[in-house]
Each structure stands twice: as C-alpha cells, then as structure tokens.
Amino acid sequence: LLNGTAPEKILCLTFTKAAAAEMAKRLFDTLGHWATCPDDVLMEALENATGDSLTREILSPARRLFAQALETPGGLKIQTIHAFCERLLKRFPLEARVPPHFSVLDERTIDELLSEAKLRVLERSGDDQDRDVACAFEIMVERLDETQFHDLMKEIAGKRSRLNRLLTDHGGVSGAVAVIAQQLGLMPG
C-alpha cells in the first residue's frame, strides 16, 4: 500500500475465518493509527514497517491509506483460502466443471444430508431387489459403530464421483467387490 498499490489489487489469504478477521482488524487499527498520530510517531512507524529511511513526503500518502482502505469497492480482500476458492469457482463455474449457481454446504446441512442417506441405505438394505446393498450394509453394521458409520458415509459422499465411476466401470456393487477382492488377493465372497 505504501508503494502505491491500490487496495483492491491486494489479496490476503489465511486458513481460518478468525485469522482473516484478526488480519483485517490489525490492518484497520494500524491504518487508523497512522491517519491520526503525530508526524514523528508516524515517521517512526513507517520506517519500522518498511525497514527503510524515509522522507517526510511519505506522511501524507500514508495518512490517506485508511480512507482508501475504507472506500475500496467490495472492501479489502482478506479472506480464507476456502472463501477465495469458492469465489473463483463461482466466477468460472464452466471452466471448473461445476454447475453455475452452485452452493457450498455448511456442516449442519452435510450432517442432515448424511442422515437422510443413512436412512435410505437402511431402507434399501431390507429390499430384496438390491441384495448387494443389503449385504454391504450387513457387513457395515457388524463392523462399525454409529460414529464410524457416519464417518464412512461422509468419506463416501466426499468421493462419490470415484465410487460412481468404480461401480459403473465394473457393473455395480458385485462387480466392484469382485475386482477389489482380486486386487487384494482375497477369495471371492
């Protein structure tokens, strides 16, 4: 900013929302302080920030940074990596091969959808028309507690395109199981 880069051309990325909020707070606190502090205090702060010996000509532009940051169209871009990626996907959905106007699910919605999926699996497990799903479910019930089942469903949901491709390429659950068993060197069944 001190070198003249426009605030709207700067992107700051962090891992967490808390870190992004803290970064924005520190930036506005610093710029707000620079806008109102005495010249000698500002000169010392600027020299500490840049590590350079500066002339007094820098004081006026440094004082204007607070107002520039406040007036930046769309605000300063201080965000999480997740938010940045979401913004990119929304801006270029076709290039990213995602549906336009998609929405990102929050944890609560994910848990609700997983609960619905679990109920559907339970319903299908008793259906004689889909015996492969029933067998798979029986094995999961024997080996997993409720938390592990939930975690497995979450893992499957996160990799559903790979699972769908596996099932499609091998003619369904029984074909996929046979291929996996062969690759692991297990006896059929």
Side-chain angles (χ1 to χ4, degrees), residues 1 7-8 27-28 30-36 60-73 75-76:
L1 290 171
E8 63 269 14
L27 180 63
F28 278 109
T30 299
L31 295 180
H33 175 70
W34 288 1
T36 59
S60 183
R63 291 192 189 286
R64 288 192 299 266
L65 290 176
F66 184 67
Q68 287 176 336
L70 288 176
E71 295 170 356
T72 299
L76 295 177

Side-chain angles (χ1 to χ4, degrees), residues 166 170 175-188:
L166 174 72
H170 300 291
V177 168
V179 168
I180 292 169
Q182 180 186 11
Q183 289 182 351
L184 294 175
L186 301 173
M187 302 271 300

Side-chain angles (χ1 to χ4, degrees), residues 121-167:
V121 168
L122 285 167
E123 289 168 0
R124 285 181 69 185
S125 70
D127 187 354
D128 286 338
Q129 292 178 349
D130 205 340
R131 195 65 210 137
D132 291 332
V133 173
C135 288
F137 184 73
E138 287 172 19
I139 292 169
M140 290 190 316
V141 168
E142 290 173 8
R143 297 192 170 116
L144 304 175
D145 64 29
E146 186 174 335
T147 303
Q148 291 170 318
F149 182 82
H150 177 79
D151 292 345
L152 177 62
M153 293 295 284
K154 207 171 192 175
E155 181 83 13
I156 289 169
K159 296 180 180 172
R160 66 187 171 276
S161 62
R162 290 175 66 190
L163 179 62
N164 284 333
R165 192 169 50 250
L166 174 72
L167 296 173

Side-chain angles (χ1 to χ4, degrees), residues 2-176:
L2 286 171
N3 288 328
T5 301
E8 63 269 14
K9 294 189 178 216
I10 297 174
L11 173 65
C12 302
L13 297 177
T14 70
F15 288 104
T16 66
K17 289 179 184 176
E22 177 66 21
M23 188 184 297
K25 180 187 178 318
R26 285 184 189 188
L27 180 63
F28 278 109
D29 286 351
T30 299
L31 295 180
H33 175 70
W34 288 1
T36 59
C37 69
D39 286 352
D40 57 331
V41 173
L42 176 57
M43 194 64 165
E44 183 180 343
L46 293 173
E47 287 179 347
N48 287 338
T50 63
D52 293 331
S53 181
L54 303 170
T55 65
R56 298 185 84 58
E57 295 163 356
I58 193 74
L59 294 177
S60 183
R63 291 192 189 286
R64 288 192 299 266
L65 290 176
F66 184 67
Q68 287 176 336
L70 288 176
E71 295 170 356
T72 299
L76 295 177
K77 292 176 191 77
I78 300 174
Q79 54 195 199
T80 63
I81 293 170
H82 182 269
F84 173 70
C85 292
E86 184 178 338
R87 198 173 102 224
L88 270 181
L89 290 172
K90 286 185 186 271
R91 190 162 176 197
F92 303 104
L94 299 177
E95 293 84 348
R97 295 186 179 141
V98 296
H101 310 295
F102 73 93
S103 62
V104 176
L105 302 177
D106 59 25
E107 286 295 319
R108 193 180 94 236
T109 306
I110 290 169
D111 287 340
E112 289 171 3
L113 291 172
L114 285 172
S115 292
E116 286 177 32
K118 184 167 49 172
L119 287 175
R120 276 188 261 140
V121 168
L122 285 167
E123 289 168 0
R124 285 181 69 185
S125 70
D127 187 354
D128 286 338
Q129 292 178 349
D130 205 340
R131 195 65 210 137
D132 291 332
V133 173
C135 288
F137 184 73
E138 287 172 19
I139 292 169
M140 290 190 316
V141 168
E142 290 173 8
R143 297 192 170 116
L144 304 175
D145 64 29
E146 186 174 335
T147 303
Q148 291 170 318
F149 182 82
H150 177 79
D151 292 345
L152 177 62
M153 293 295 284
K154 207 171 192 175
E155 181 83 13
I156 289 169
K159 296 180 180 172
R160 66 187 171 276
S161 62
R162 290 175 66 190
L163 179 62
N164 284 333
R165 192 169 50 250
L166 174 72
L167 296 173
T168 301
D169 290 351
H170 300 291
V173 174
S174 59

